[in-house]
Amino acid sequence: MSGTFGLMILSLGVIPLLAGIALMGGQTAVKISHEQSGMKGQCFVGFSWTYYLFGWLVPIFRGEIAIGFLHLLITVFTFGLFQPVMSFLYNRQYSRRQFTDGWELADTDNQNALSRGRLGLAGETNGYSDKTTQAMLFGLIPPVILFIPVTIMGVMMELGVNRGADDVVSQAESERSRAEDIVAQLELDVEAARKKAEELSRRPEKETWETPELTRFENTYMEIERPLVANIVNSRKVMQIKVAIMTHYDERVVANMEKHAPGIRSETLGVIRKVDEQALNQPGFKRNLAEQIKLAMNSVLEKHEDFGGVEEVLFTEFVVQ
């Protein structure tokens, strides 16, 4: 936004240049000569764009060293305002100082007439006239009038940018605080879930030893007769498996498996339907799949019978094609 403000100020500085060239004409060199010695020289008419750009250096380049340093002092004391004003006047003053001691115009008739009109010299002017006053009015007054509102507008724009930046910073801090709160809550949820998992993992053993009806026996096996078939995710392959379960408890676990066979089959199919082709190639895939099926079966039994009892899942058939 500060670039926009700078561009607005720069545009005000272009107004004197445009007004000066439009009304006074661009800077033009005119030939002059010394009648007695025959020496040749030149003067200048029109708006001095060189002075507008380079200021007090122009008199020094033209040999008026003392005047150049005088202009430098005035420019410093007026904070640079003297430079655009003098751009309208310098060529006229410089040229009129040339017409002393026998120097005369020695250019074409039209250029001589132009110079007389622009410099206010006696003789034929062909309708040319000095428009320095009008050029200064149109070139200097509008920038002075517009400078104050443009400056105010620029300050307001800067304040708006700063306020917007403050709002962005405040919003960022608010979002960061909200994110910290969410992370803290997630940490609490994770800790609660961990404690719950530990409690559930201890629950079967606890209930086994505290419940008289459930007593450990030798290993008991039960095979689910119907095979389980599911498509491999993102693949044309099909997986067909048959599973058996092993339990250390009495026949009640087997009876519960048969009693809730539809629910157990549904949960087991839900597990194997999530298998994708990438998982098939991972080490320990079958062991991990068996563990997931065991958890699914026990979840059904615990839901309906308050006790799982499935301690191992075995694959009696495993085909992928």
Side-chain angles (χ1 to χ4, degrees), residues 22-263:
L23 296 175
M24 298 174 61
Q27 180 170 278
T28 304
V30 181
K31 297 177 182 178
I32 59 176
S33 64
H34 194 267
E35 182 178 3
Q36 296 178 352
S37 65
M39 295 177 62
K40 304 295 184 181
Q42 64 181 5
C43 66
F44 296 90
V45 295
F47 179 79
S48 181
W49 62 267
T50 54
Y51 198 100
Y52 186 79
L53 296 177
F54 304 108
W56 57 274
L57 292 174
V58 176
I60 293 179
F61 291 152
R62 293 185 185 179
E64 298 185 316
I65 298 176
I67 292 177
F69 282 109
L70 176 62
H71 286 191
L72 170 60
L73 293 176
I74 299 175
T75 301
V76 171
F77 283 118
T78 59
F79 301 100
L81 297 178
F82 179 75
Q83 184 167 326
V85 174
M86 203 62 198
S87 303
F88 295 90
L89 303 173
Y90 180 66
N91 278 338
R92 176 183 172 88
Q93 293 179 1
Y94 171 77
S95 298
R96 290 180 69 88
R97 285 193 292 269
Q98 298 295 95
F99 294 109
T100 58
D101 300 328
W103 286 92
E104 295 180 351
L105 294 167
D107 212 309
T108 63
D109 291 341
N110 185 63
Q111 285 292 83
N112 291 339
L114 171 67
S115 300
R116 294 189 192 98
R118 294 285 191 260
L119 301 175
L121 302 176
E124 181 60 43
T125 62
N126 291 346
Y128 293 109
S129 61
D130 181 15
K131 297 184 179 180
T132 302
T133 303
Q134 297 94 314
M136 292 180 69
L137 290 175
F138 284 102
L140 298 176
I141 293 179
V144 172
I145 295 176
L146 295 174
F147 179 78
I148 294 177
V150 167
T151 302
I152 294 174
M153 185 182 303
V155 172
M156 294 177 64
M157 292 167 65
E158 289 294 333
L159 291 176
V161 170
N162 293 335
R163 186 179 298 111
D166 292 341
D167 291 343
V168 170
V169 172
S170 177
Q171 183 176 359
E173 291 179 351
S174 177
E175 292 295 333
R176 183 180 64 182
S177 177
R178 187 182 308 171
E180 291 176 351
D181 293 341
I182 293 175
V183 170
Q185 184 60 45
L186 287 175
E187 291 176 349
L188 293 175
D189 293 343
V190 169
E191 181 63 20
R194 185 185 64 81
K195 292 180 178 179
K196 183 65 175 179
E198 291 179 353
E199 179 182 349
L200 291 176
S201 65
R202 292 193 298 267
R203 182 178 176 185
E205 181 179 355
K206 180 178 179 181
E207 291 186 0
T208 298
W209 297 109
E210 291 183 356
T211 306
E213 295 84 2
L214 295 174
T215 307
R216 281 177 172 266
F217 294 95
E218 295 182 355
N219 295 352
T220 301
Y221 294 90
M222 170 190 174
E223 183 177 30
I224 299 177
E225 296 182 359
R226 292 174 56 192
L228 301 169
V229 182
N231 292 323
I232 303 299
V233 177
N234 298 325
S235 173
R236 295 182 179 179
K237 295 180 180 180
V238 176
M239 180 170 61
Q240 176 176 308
I241 62 175
K242 291 188 68 176
V243 298
I245 64 107
M246 184 274 289
T247 180
H248 292 300
Y249 301 97
D250 58 20
E251 293 295 332
R252 190 173 304 181
V253 175
V254 175
N256 289 339
M257 287 285 296
E258 294 175 348
K259 178 179 178 182
H260 302 289

Side-chain angles (χ1 to χ4, degrees), residues 243-312:
V243 298
I245 64 107
M246 184 274 289
T247 180
H248 292 300
Y249 301 97
D250 58 20
E251 293 295 332
R252 190 173 304 181
V253 175
V254 175
N256 289 339
M257 287 285 296
E258 294 175 348
K259 178 179 178 182
H260 302 289
I264 291 174
R265 183 178 184 82
S266 175
E267 287 294 319
T268 306
L269 283 172
V271 172
I272 66 173
R273 283 170 181 165
K274 297 178 182 178
V275 175
D276 57 24
E277 191 165 7
Q278 182 179 2
L280 287 173
N281 301 321
Q282 292 181 352
F285 164 68
K286 290 185 178 180
R287 183 175 63 256
N288 294 335
L289 182 61
E291 183 66 21
Q292 295 178 30
I293 293 175
K294 182 185 78 171
L295 293 175
M297 290 179 174
N298 281 328
S299 68
V300 175
L301 296 177
E302 290 171 358
K303 178 180 179 181
H304 298 289
E305 303 294 338
D306 294 328
F307 177 72
V310 177
E311 298 196 41
E312 188 175 352

